[in-house]
Amino acid sequence: MLKKYEIVSAENTFTGGNKRLLLSGVFLLSFSVLALEVALTRFLSAVFSYHYVFIVVSIALLGLGTGAIFIRSSKSSLIIGHNRGLSNLARFAGLSALSVFFSLTVMALFPLVEVVLFPFLLFMPFFFAGMFMAESFRTFPALSHWIYAADLIGAGAGSVGVVFSLNIIGGPKTVFLLGVSLALVSLIFAIRLVKARFRIMALPFFCLLSTIGLLWAFTASPYFSTKVVRAEPSKEINYALSPELGGGIIETRWSAFGRTDLVSFRDAPELMTLYIDGTAGTPMYRFNGLFDTGLPEIQNLKNFPGYLPFQFLNEEQKDNALIIGPGGGRDVLLTLMSGVEQITAVEVNRDFVDIVKDYAWYNGGIYNNFDNVSVYVDEGRSFLRRQKEKYDVILLSLPVTKTSRSREGYALTESFLFTTDSIKDYFEHLTDEGRLIVVTHSPEELYRLLSVSTTALEQLGIDNSAAMQRVYMMGSESFPVFVMGKSPLKPEEMVPLHKSIHQLGYDLSTSFLPGIRQSSLSLHTEEGRFDECSMLNPVFTAIEKGNISLAEVEVRHGAHRLDLRPVSDNNPFFYKFEEGIPGDVSLMLQASIGVLLFTILLSLIRGNRLFHGVRIVRPFRFALLFSFLGIGFMLAEVSLFQKFTLFLGQPALSLVASLVSLLTGAGLGSLYSRRVPSNNLATVIPVAALAIAVTLVIYALGVPFIFNLLLGQGIGLRLFITVFLLVPLGFIMGFPFPLGMRLLQETGREAYIPWAWGINGIASMLGSVMTIVIAISFGFTEALLTGAAFYLSLFLLLWLARSGDSVPGVAWGGTSPHTTQHGKKRYYFCSPECETEFVTNPLKYKEV
């Protein structure tokens, strides 16, 4: 005997205050989760190297997905309860908040377990947040478009809020504040239920009390405020703080860019050093503002390898200079000492600039008191592309931080500084006698810079042999120097430079001077000739003569061959020297694929009886639907973010503008999707996927042209273009997911909803990792096109297999519910074998 059930429409029954409460809770939780994800990447950049920070995003997405899977698969009432609706949401938000405090407490009190346990500790807040979102969709499926919109718009707002919070109160306090925000979500649901379930109040009150105590205790703790976290001994700042050097942090500033520390030294009062996230130390020298009677340490700067190229410039080559990444001001001092008349310095980290200005009493006002020095806070490439002026000198001295700046957690801010595209920009902005001077960290960087530069010049019509006549390299043991001229270098300049290299004891095996002939002589005397030498790098000389190409050169570091292939703006991984995919990225890719396949196969292995007795014959296409949506969305989001970083300049501004535009557009699309009639769902979903695929292809091919055309415009216009491009894309990307959720609900498959959300979250983790793998191997444009391919595959899958009345390609067994619809009411007819879902969910169904 079949029983007849009528679905209770959440649109009609869960309205007014309750509906606003639900959507407010979803918005605030999504705000907190996205902000927490970004804040943790910045906070942990001061803890670990950027490779480990990359894992944070993957852990967040994995937690969101597995939390949803746990909701559906667990039979425990201890955590989930029995269909308590809002009380479950209060519980999950509270547990997420407690997880934040618990994780940071363990990391603070037991620093030795950080490296081993920090993935698990970071997993917990996102796991409970995933349970919250899955429970929201499960309990109120008819509101899926509202819930998804609140989720996306909340995430977009979170990307804005976290930047302001990081700039105002710093990384640790921001993380704790977001824990408070999660506790507040729990509290607002608990207050609504206080009359019915007073005991639920205990958890949020405990969260709030714990927050107040922990917030005070740990933000005042030296662990977070005055010391760099001890989990990464290799960080430069840890050596500076060692008893051997006697360094001590005298000031710390946090921002959306990272943690900036100023270190002074007990036995070296003439020097302070600035660090960003414990790396990339940049010196700030004591200076009285007078070069003729300056302090001895200023005169000693002439021994810095980056100063030597200035000694061989004539007066016509010293009219102006552009310094990218001046840091603590050493490069400005060197340039002033060399006699350059006008200096423009561009620093991406505002805290560096502010600290140097605030310590003008110490550094002689190097950024404040010199009329011929102009300092700008901007990204170097973006600034340069907007300038029409040409420079006699463009100087980049050790401009790498090796810390995470992007949401995907891997790409470096400085990656755009050394690409074939950037070299062409530098070349075009040099005067005819101009010089590009780059001070590097190692010979490996010198080799790759040569590879990138010769490739760039070849693209400008200058072959390798002619390019080598514009380049010279000095193999200093500490800081090798690369110099490229706009015009071929003159022999009369190379001979005295060659003599200086010998006298200073530079490494000749990694040095190259064009026009210097190889000779059988290996030693020189004061009377000897310095236009011949057998010790300059013979490989570079052979390239200059056209005997070999740089592509044929193999450079090894120990037993490993170095990857010295040129990089472009499309795949800007200059500092990735290992061949292939980095080990940590490869591990995350394998883990992501394994977790996704395990989750899908587990559903199938458990047999045909799934989800409270509803018999499913073929759920595989459901898995593909939500998997492809997760992978495709992340491929598009991460790729576009990377592309817009160069266009907008500042990394924090790029993060805010890109995420807000894309996620807000997707939220609006989700809201608009509710207008799609129920009988058209199986058709509209594949059509939306096709529209997204076509749009992504157009963007992949057309956006670079738009950027090249408009990069020189003001920030206002560039922000408008960003919003104009990303909001419409986000709008159509907001359709498929809520429509898929509705399709599950309309065909009586609500039991699938947490599972679908979980699959989407885990697939998003895979998409995030896939983006980096494809970008390293091919480029971000190819990653964007891969995202389009996933949406196109989804279109083909659903369009070819669509049926007129339900989810494409999904058949139902004999004990499954059959549906019929009269007007706006939908009825389900079910035998006793499949009625469990209906009996146990009185909020959604009533027997008629």
Side-chain angles (χ1 to χ4, degrees):
M1 176 180 178
L2 296 179
K3 292 185 178 182
K4 184 179 180 181
Y5 293 89
E6 176 187 346
I7 187 169
V8 180
S9 175
E11 291 281 8
N12 298 324
T13 62
F14 198 74
T15 56
N18 285 344
K19 182 178 178 180
R20 288 192 294 270
L21 177 69
L22 172 66
L23 298 180
S24 298
V26 171
F27 175 90
L28 186 55
L29 181 123
S30 297
F31 177 100
S32 304
V33 167
L34 191 283
L36 180 64
E37 180 185 331
V38 175
L40 284 173
T41 62
R42 301 301 182 263
F43 173 54
L44 292 175
S45 287
V47 183
F48 304 104
S49 68
Y50 68 94
H51 293 89
Y52 291 101
V53 175
F54 163 67
I55 301 175
V56 172
V57 176
S58 299
I59 290 174
L61 295 173
L62 177 63
L64 293 171
T66 53
I69 297 296
F70 184 80
I71 277 282
R72 190 64 272 169
S73 61
S74 175
K75 298 183 181 297
S76 171
S77 62
L78 179 62
I79 297 178
I80 298 178
H82 293 293
N83 302 294
R84 289 179 177 173
L86 297 182
S87 62
N88 274 343
L89 299 182
R91 182 181 294 105
F92 300 151
L95 289 171
S96 181
L98 281 178
S99 299
V100 174
F101 309 136
F102 172 78
S103 299
L104 291 180
T105 300
V106 172
M107 293 177 68
L109 297 179
F110 307 101
L112 294 180
V113 306
E114 288 172 355
V115 177
V116 179
L117 294 183
F118 97 94
F120 171 74
L121 295 174
L122 297 180
F123 173 84
M124 293 167 58
F126 299 102
F127 175 79
F128 290 115
M131 294 178 69
F132 177 99
M133 291 303 302
E135 181 70 3
S136 299
F137 281 110
R138 183 186 75 89
T139 308
F140 310 105
L143 293 174
S144 59
H145 53 279
W146 284 103
I147 295 172
Y148 190 56
D151 174 42
L152 293 173
I153 296 174
S159 66
V160 178
V162 71
V163 170
F164 284 105
S165 181
L166 288 169
N167 287 333
I168 295 172
I169 65 175
K173 292 182 181 180
T174 293
V175 173
F176 280 109
L177 183 61
L178 293 170
V180 175
S181 180
L182 289 169
L184 182 60
V185 177
S186 176
L187 182 62
I188 62 176
F189 282 110
I191 291 175
R192 174 67 177 80
L193 298 169
V194 63
K195 294 181 180 179
R197 297 180 178 88
F198 183 83
R199 61 182 179 276
I200 197 68
M201 291 292 291
L203 181 60
F205 274 140
F206 180 74
C207 291
L208 290 177
L209 290 174
S210 301
T211 300
I212 295 171
L214 291 172
L215 184 63
W216 177 84
F218 288 103
T219 55
S221 168
Y223 182 85
F224 288 124
S225 59
T226 60
K227 293 183 180 179
V228 172
V229 183
R230 301 174 289 275
E232 189 71 39
S234 62
K235 281 184 178 284
E236 298 173 31
I237 194 171
N238 288 321
Y239 178 66
L241 299 177
S242 65
E244 180 181 353
L245 293 184
I249 297 176
I250 61 175
E251 185 168 349
T252 296
R253 299 187 185 184
W254 282 92
S255 70
F257 192 82
R259 169 178 171 147
T260 300
D261 292 289
L262 178 63
V263 176
S264 65
F265 299 92
R266 180 186 60 243
D267 299 326
E270 73 280 1
L271 174 69
M272 294 185 186
T273 303
L274 289 159
Y275 295 92
I276 176 67
D277 291 338
T279 65
T282 174
M284 180 174 68
Y285 288 91
R286 186 175 61 183
F287 179 47
N288 60 5
L290 302 175
F291 288 101
D292 52 349
T293 60
L295 300 174
E297 54 267 21
I298 300 301
Q299 300 304 317
N300 291 336
L301 277 177
K302 294 181 179 180
N303 297 324
F304 180 67
Y307 181 71
L308 186 59
F310 285 95
Q311 297 183 37
F312 299 93
L313 300 178
N314 56 47
E315 293 304 316
E316 290 75 20
Q317 294 174 301
K318 298 180 180 180
D319 291 334
N320 59 0
L322 172 66
I323 302 174
I324 297 179
R330 174 178 58 191
D331 300 331
V332 175
L333 277 173
L334 291 175
T335 310
L336 286 171
M337 290 168 59
S338 69
V340 175
E341 296 181 5
Q342 188 65 41
I343 299 171
T344 301
V346 183
E347 171 59 51
V348 70
N349 185 359
R350 180 177 296 276
D351 285 337
F352 276 0
V353 175
D354 290 343
I355 289 176
V356 173
K357 288 183 176 181
D358 290 345
Y359 282 76
W361 58 269
Y362 178 86
N363 56 49
I366 193 69
Y367 286 177
N368 311 60
N369 301 335
F370 288 82
D371 295 335
N372 61 335
V373 176
S374 302
V375 182
Y376 298 89
V377 177
D378 206 340
E379 196 276 328
R381 278 283 307 289
S382 181
F383 177 88
L384 180 66
R385 291 288 295 271
R386 301 195 302 273
Q387 308 306 308
K388 296 181 179 180
E389 184 178 4
K390 293 183 181 293
Y391 301 94
D392 286 328
V393 176
I394 298 178
L395 172 63
L396 298 93
S397 180
L398 313 172
V400 58
T401 64
K402 290 189 177 181
T403 59
S404 174
R405 294 285 167 264
S406 57
R407 183 178 175 236
E408 75 277 5
Y410 189 85
L412 304 178
T413 299
E414 294 78 9
S415 57
F416 286 120
L417 293 181
F418 299 125
T419 66
T420 54
D421 304 274
S422 71
I423 295 298
K424 287 187 284 187
D425 284 342
Y426 302 144
F427 191 81
E428 292 170 359
H429 281 81
L430 287 173
T431 60
D432 290 341
E433 297 297 321
R435 298 285 187 270
L436 169 66
I437 303 174
V438 182
V439 182
T440 67
H441 293 86
S442 65
E444 292 85 359
E445 293 180 18
L446 204 63
Y447 274 95
R448 170 155 270 175
L449 193 55
L450 179 63
S451 173
V452 170
S453 299
T454 54
T455 301
L457 293 181
E458 189 174 14
Q459 294 173 358
L460 293 175
I462 303 173
D463 61 35
N464 283 356
S465 179
M468 294 298 289
Q469 296 173 13
R470 290 170 165 81
V471 170
Y472 72 85
M473 291 171 283
M474 302 184 300
S476 168
E477 182 178 350
S478 54
F479 301 117
V481 179
F482 173 92
V483 180
M484 181 181 73
K486 182 69 172 285
S487 305
L489 301 174
K490 300 176 182 178
E492 56 267 27
E493 179 183 351
M494 294 299 100
V495 173
L497 179 60
H498 184 204
K499 182 175 181 179
S500 296
I501 289 176
H502 274 275
Q503 292 172 339
L504 294 172
Y506 283 6
D507 181 9
L508 298 179
S509 65
T510 54
S511 297
F512 168 74
L513 301 172
I516 299 297
R517 294 172 294 171
Q518 297 290 70
S519 168
S520 59
L521 298 176
S522 59
L523 297 176
H524 289 281
T525 63
E526 283 296 323
E527 295 78 19
R529 291 176 57 110
F530 280 90
D531 60 346
E532 299 180 359
C533 180
S534 64
M535 298 182 68
L536 292 178
N537 190 299
V539 173
F540 297 151
T541 303
I543 295 174
E544 179 192 13
K545 293 180 179 180
N547 296 334
I548 62 173
S549 66
L550 189 60
E552 302 175 55
V553 179
E554 178 179 305
V555 180
R556 307 187 72 86
H557 182 75
H560 302 285
R561 178 178 175 177
L562 298 180
D563 182 2
L564 301 177
R565 293 176 298 173
V567 296
S568 67
D569 285 350
N570 190 38
N571 61 334
F573 299 95
F574 180 87
Y575 295 98
K576 188 196 78 67
F577 293 107
E578 59 182 302
E579 289 191 316
I581 306 301
D584 55 338
V585 179
S586 179
L587 178 63
M588 289 304 302
L589 177 65
Q590 297 170 24
S592 301
I593 295 174
V595 171
L596 181 61
L597 292 179
F598 175 78
T599 304
I600 295 174
L601 293 176
L602 181 63
S603 313
L604 304 176
I605 292 172
R606 291 181 62 185
N608 288 336
R609 298 192 64 81
L610 290 175
F611 308 121
H612 296 300
V614 178
R615 186 176 180 84
I616 310 299
V617 176
R618 288 187 295 168
F620 189 63
R621 284 196 176 116
F622 274 127
L624 290 182
L625 168 63
F626 290 98
S627 295
F628 281 18
L629 288 178
I631 295 172
F633 193 98
M634 290 305 297
L635 282 164
E637 181 191 35
V638 175
S639 300
L640 288 170
F641 170 76
Q642 185 71 11
K643 289 179 174 294
F644 277 89
T645 297
L646 176 61
F647 183 59
L648 292 176
Q650 282 288 346
L653 178 64
S654 301
L655 174 71
V656 170
S658 301
L659 282 182
V660 169
S661 300
L662 191 64
L663 295 180
T664 301
L668 296 175
S670 177
L671 288 178
Y672 192 83
S673 70
R674 74 185 188 275
R675 300 189 179 190
V676 177
S678 298
N679 57 348
N680 288 339
L681 292 179
T683 301
V684 174
I685 294 176
V687 170
L690 177 62
I692 296 169
V694 172
T695 305
L696 290 179
V697 171
I698 294 174
Y699 277 36
L701 301 178
V703 161
F705 172 77
I706 296 174
F707 286 178
N708 287 331
L709 184 66
L710 299 176
L711 191 58
Q713 302 300 317
I715 187 62
L717 179 60
R718 284 180 286 130
L719 280 173
F720 173 79
I721 294 299
T722 299
V723 175
F724 179 78
L725 290 175
L726 292 183
V727 169
L729 174 62
F731 183 81
I732 58 175
M733 293 181 75
F735 270 70
F737 184 86
L739 292 181
M741 290 292 194
R742 274 185 59 194
L743 200 51
L744 292 175
Q745 181 230 344
E746 293 287 345
T747 54
R749 299 166 172 92
E750 287 87 348
Y752 266 105
I753 288 177
W755 178 76
W757 172 265
I759 289 289
N760 183 261
I762 296 172
S764 297
M765 175 183 71
L766 175 58
S768 175
V769 184
M770 282 182 60
T771 306
I772 303 304
V773 171
I774 296 171
I776 290 175
S777 303
F778 305 101
F780 281 103
T781 296
E782 287 75 7
L784 190 58
L785 291 172
T786 304
F790 271 93
Y791 279 104
L792 180 61
S793 300
L794 187 59
F795 161 74
L796 296 174
L797 171 73
L798 300 181
W799 186 262
L800 297 177
R802 74 189 189 283
S803 61
D805 59 344
S806 63
V807 178
V810 178
W812 290 76
T815 59
S816 303
H818 303 282
T819 67
T820 184
Q821 186 163 340
H822 300 284
K824 294 184 177 180
K825 293 184 178 181
R826 180 174 291 275
Y827 298 97
Y828 295 86
F829 296 91
C830 176
S831 62
E833 290 83 359
C834 69
E835 68 180 3
T836 308
E837 169 69 13
F838 301 95
V839 173
T840 58
N841 284 277
L843 285 175
K844 293 185 291 183
Y845 309 103
K846 68 178 180 179
E847 186 175 353
V848 295

